[in-house]
Amino acid sequence: MAQLQQGGPDEKEKTTALKDLLSRIDLDELMKKDEPPLEFPDTLEGFEYIFNEKGQLRHIKTGEPFVFNYREDLHRWNQKRYEALGEIITKYVYELLQKECHLKKVTLPVDATESEPKSFIFMSEDALINPDKLLVLIHGNGVVRAGQWARRLIINEDLDSGTQIPYIKRAIGEGYGVIVLNPNENYIEVEKTKAQIQLSSDCSDEPAEKRERKDKIQKETKKRRDFYEKYRNPQKEKETMQIYIRDNGSPEEHAIYVWDHFISQSAAENVFFVAHSYGGLAFVELMIQREAEVKNKVTAVALTDSVHNVWHQEVGKTIREWMRENCCNWVSSSEPLDTSVESMLPDCPRVSAACSLEV
């Protein structure tokens, strides 16, 4: 037993051989074969992609769809490349909202100073003065921004599948005013200074002796981790901190802020919402906070795969009754369109979307 715990002669021989092998490996040479720099183009053309006449993302030279695994065995680098492309697409969709849908960009908070973090929404010119009807669009959580339903669908399918543009164009064509929310634009990211990094590591209410022991363990762990990280990934990313946007620091806050400053002030007799995934939760939170106002102004709500939960959100009986009459949740299902889908929650009807509403 003791020999097994300490390692027999064979194990010691293998360990010695492994140490000898490692001593002869040139880590610098191995690092040169590691991932390329995390530096990517800032335009679609730089990526050699373009949206064709069908709104599909295609390679300029080959005409092929986007390829995620551009570099074999470099998943992190491929993911960073995908994210960089996604940021460009976000800006591209913003341009389409303004140029093709003729929406205007409105800064939030409405009284923002020049130096503070800001967000924005998009509105049609008549959004606040249309006396008849107003459509409000809220997307889900994650990387999507105003005008998008799903980045993955934009990249792998087409603009009509992944953006709100078809909804907006049809609504405007039918005489609606339109407001497009931007609930995931909650903060700006800035690089931490050396002083801030040191302060965050020093801040602790623990006794000095315990903190010293913990610091020693953390330093030793970090030393080992940095060694292997240097071999696996020589590129160290910058440490950043988030500065939240005033009164818009979460999707729920954002929905309430836009309601208070825009939707509730609109002239429309009938307000309609389309809310996807977490957007449905944000709408329900809006109802909880502004129940009387919402009931007075909102005519109907179309939810798509909404993740709201009337129990977890502690939704009262009067709101649940209103939701049963005025809301409908279209959910992922293989059943024919509008087929009733059973729900354990006592709120709005759930019906089949006859497809998978992926994000």
Side-chain angles (χ1 to χ4, degrees), residues 234-263:
Q235 303 180 72
K236 184 174 178 63
E237 295 187 70
K238 297 174 182 176
E239 288 196 53
T240 61
M241 60 185 293
Q242 298 170 349
I243 303 177
Y244 283 85
I245 296 163
R246 176 164 52 92
D247 299 327
N248 288 268
S250 70
E252 297 91 325
E253 274 194 3
H254 177 76
I256 293 168
Y257 187 89
V258 176
W259 175 272
D260 288 345
H261 291 83
F262 299 94
I263 304 170

Side-chain angles (χ1 to χ4, degrees), residues 107-173:
T107 300
L108 306 180
V110 293
D111 59 346
T113 63
E114 187 175 341
S115 59
E116 75 172 301
K118 303 173 188 66
S119 180
F120 49 86
I121 57 174
F122 290 90
M123 296 168 42
S124 62
E125 290 290 344
D126 67 338
L128 302 184
I129 60 174
N130 187 315
D132 186 16
K133 47 196 177 182
L134 172 67
L135 177 66
V136 181
L137 300 174
I138 315 178
H139 58 62
N141 64 352
V143 297
V144 290
R145 295 293 185 269
Q148 301 180 44
W149 293 127
R151 177 183 288 182
R152 189 193 67 78
L153 291 179
I154 296 172
I155 291 175
N156 297 318
E157 299 294 332
D158 54 42
L159 289 166
D160 279 357
S161 300
T163 74
Q164 298 172 352
I165 290 172
Y167 287 72
I168 296 167
K169 287 183 175 180
R170 179 171 176 179
I172 291 173

